[in-house]
Amino acid sequence: PCLCEARAAALAYFAVVRSHCKEAIFDMPIHIGGEMGLVIELEKYGPTCIFLLALLDRCGFPVIPDGNRPRTEMDSIMMWFGSHPEQETAHVQLAKERPEWVLMRNTATMFKFLYSMLPSVKENMTVRKERAEVR
């Protein structure tokens, strides 16, 4: 009974978040990628990349920093997305100055990987089924 109030408050919080937030960040779609197994995608104009671009803008970092320039803007966005403080690249500034970004990204990504993990037998059956449908 004493946890009912906490549960009610948590449910009220989630209801407000759902009604006020139109997009969910770190909603990374997963699909079977042929020989590669499961593939997690991030879209350039998806909520996660748009959030990262807004964060870079708010923090004053250019999308494509001077120095080791990537081939495309999407490559640069992914370099920002995957950066960590120990790297020696121009994309490391966000990870060094905003450790909360690294913690949030790592937690969300780890949850996504763990949540999406299939037992190897089920994954093999899914891959076989998809290959059979292609033929």
Side-chain angles (χ1 to χ4, degrees), residues 105-115:
R105 177 207 57 208
N106 290 352
T107 302
T109 306
M110 181 175 63
F111 173 80
K112 185 67 172 183
F113 280 119
L114 293 176
Y115 179 77

Side-chain angles (χ1 to χ4, degrees), residues 60-117:
F61 299 126
V63 175
I64 301 177
D66 295 333
N68 189 6
R69 296 178 65 88
R71 295 179 306 203
T72 66
E73 184 181 22
M74 186 62 180
D75 287 341
S76 185
I77 293 169
M78 290 300 100
M79 289 175 84
W80 281 113
F81 187 82
S83 66
H84 59 86
E86 292 80 29
Q87 283 179 314
E88 295 297 328
T89 67
H91 293 84
V92 76
Q93 297 165 325
L94 181 64
K96 283 185 177 178
E97 294 181 23
R98 302 288 183 186
E100 63 274 13
W101 159 253
V102 176
L103 293 173
M104 182 178 66
R105 177 207 57 208
N106 290 352
T107 302
T109 306
M110 181 175 63
F111 173 80
K112 185 67 172 183
F113 280 119
L114 293 176
Y115 179 77
S116 65
M117 289 178 71

Side-chain angles (χ1 to χ4, degrees), residues 28-41:
M28 301 173 274
I30 297 176
H31 66 277
I32 302 296
E35 299 295 322
M36 296 170 35
L38 291 177
V39 175
I40 296 178
E41 288 186 348

